[in-house]
Amino acid sequence: MASDEKQAVSGHVEKDSDSTRRATSGQNLTETDAVFRSAFCLDPAEEYKMNHKKRGLALLFNQERFYWQLMLNNRSGTSADKAHLTKRFGDLGFEVKAFDDYKKEDIMNIITKAAGSSHVDADCFVCIFLSHGEKGYVYAYDEKIDIQEVVALFRGDKCPSLVGKPKIFILQACRGDKHDDPVTPMDVVDSEIINEVVVDASSLYTLPAGADFVMCYSVAEGFFSHRETVNGSWYIQDLCEVLHKYGSELEFTELLTLVNRKVSQRSVGNCSDRSAIGKKQVPCFASMLTKKLYFRPKKGSYV
């Protein structure tokens, strides 16, 4: 009996390959210990390598007008968003290519070409959509685009030169039908001069991506995204301001958190739908980044 108890105390779970070490090992190890120990060796401060020759390509698809049969309102104010984003990402070293009111086929051709190009000399990749949204889609001029289809083009099997590099998707579009109280998403802009708050129509759901992706949404799922008809959308205004002040200093997810805080402090002031007055908005992001991401200025030492 004593012998059995002694064996029970000294027993341990081991991998088949470890059987030869049974006599010399006096530790009570499990098969997963090696995995846990490996995880503890990770450097929490590890950063993405951002010393390639180029910062990378930033595609910006700006949709202000839509084919009449879609029955979507024009997105007044989005030209301001486009100008601010072009400036801010250009300042961070990106090659920004902006496209206005393109049809779905043209947009997909541009994105497919970008995914098939070599990004060996680039740090990362950015894709931005400014449009109306609906259940996992964003609208081109003539029809909607499946965001999942776009994201899939930049996975490792389709775009090997971006493997292990950050892939940033920014979506300024509505993601639902809620403020604190319901409002009509198809708001009417009374004037191009009055800086009224309107919303981008319909819903956009959180989408899965993959390692080294970060999906940035102008609003949490189920809620309206606000846009001023002169100054542009709340989210893009505040994102660009934070990029201007901290873009080369803050880690990117910290920067996005600051944008969340800044937008959350806003409330609707002037809107033709009086029930929207005082309503709020909170952006969100889904990060699959595996390291810290900084956009520090390049110093001329490239890999």
Side-chain angles (χ1 to χ4, degrees), residues 6-214:
K6 185 176 181 180
Q7 290 179 357
V9 171
S10 62
H12 64 274
V13 179
E14 59 186 81
K15 295 183 287 186
D16 291 340
S17 60
D18 290 339
S19 59
T20 57
R21 289 179 287 179
R22 183 180 304 172
T24 59
S25 175
Q27 298 177 335
N28 188 28
L29 300 176
T30 67
E31 185 171 351
T32 55
D33 280 338
V35 177
F36 292 145
R37 287 178 175 177
S38 176
F40 287 130
C41 293
L42 294 176
D43 179 5
E46 186 175 1
E47 301 177 14
Y48 283 102
K49 292 182 179 180
M50 303 295 283
N51 58 344
H52 296 84
K53 185 177 180 180
K54 303 176 181 178
R55 179 69 79 201
L57 176 65
L59 298 179
L60 196 169
F61 299 99
N62 177 47
Q63 304 299 135
E64 181 173 359
R65 298 176 176 83
F66 303 87
Y67 184 52
W68 67 272
Q69 287 188 340
L70 295 178
M71 299 182 67
L72 293 171
N73 285 345
N74 289 344
R75 299 183 60 258
S76 300
T78 191
S79 58
D81 287 344
K82 170 193 167 185
H84 294 152
L85 287 165
T86 300
K87 170 63 175 172
R88 294 305 159 217
F89 278 92
D91 288 345
L92 292 176
F94 285 91
E95 177 189 4
V96 182
K97 295 184 178 181
F99 308 91
D100 294 322
D101 299 334
Y102 272 42
K103 294 181 178 180
K104 176 182 177 180
E105 181 179 359
D106 297 326
I107 290 175
M108 291 307 298
N109 285 340
I110 292 169
I111 293 174
T112 301
K113 181 179 179 181
S117 300
S118 174
H119 301 267
V120 171
D121 292 335
D123 293 334
C124 58
F125 170 79
V126 173
C127 184
I128 305 169
F129 282 96
L130 309 176
S131 187
H132 290 302
E134 177 183 299
K135 296 180 181 178
Y137 295 82
V138 290
Y139 277 94
Y141 172 79
D142 56 342
E143 56 183 310
K144 57 190 178 184
I145 295 173
D146 187 343
I147 292 298
Q148 184 76 312
E149 181 181 346
V150 173
V151 171
L153 292 173
F154 294 91
R155 297 185 191 277
D157 57 336
K158 298 290 182 65
C159 189
S161 61
L162 280 175
V163 169
K165 297 180 180 181
K167 293 163 280 284
I168 302 167
F169 287 80
I170 299 173
L171 298 105
Q172 165 57 45
C174 197
R175 305 185 69 205
D177 57 0
K178 299 177 184 177
H179 285 290
D180 292 337
D181 300 302
V183 297
T184 304
M186 301 296 185
D187 207 345
V188 177
V189 178
D190 295 328
S191 169
E192 292 289 338
I193 299 176
I194 297 174
N195 191 36
E196 184 187 24
V197 177
V198 295
V199 296
D200 286 326
S202 211
S203 59
L204 187 66
Y205 297 150
T206 302
L207 299 167
D212 307 305
F213 282 82
V214 58

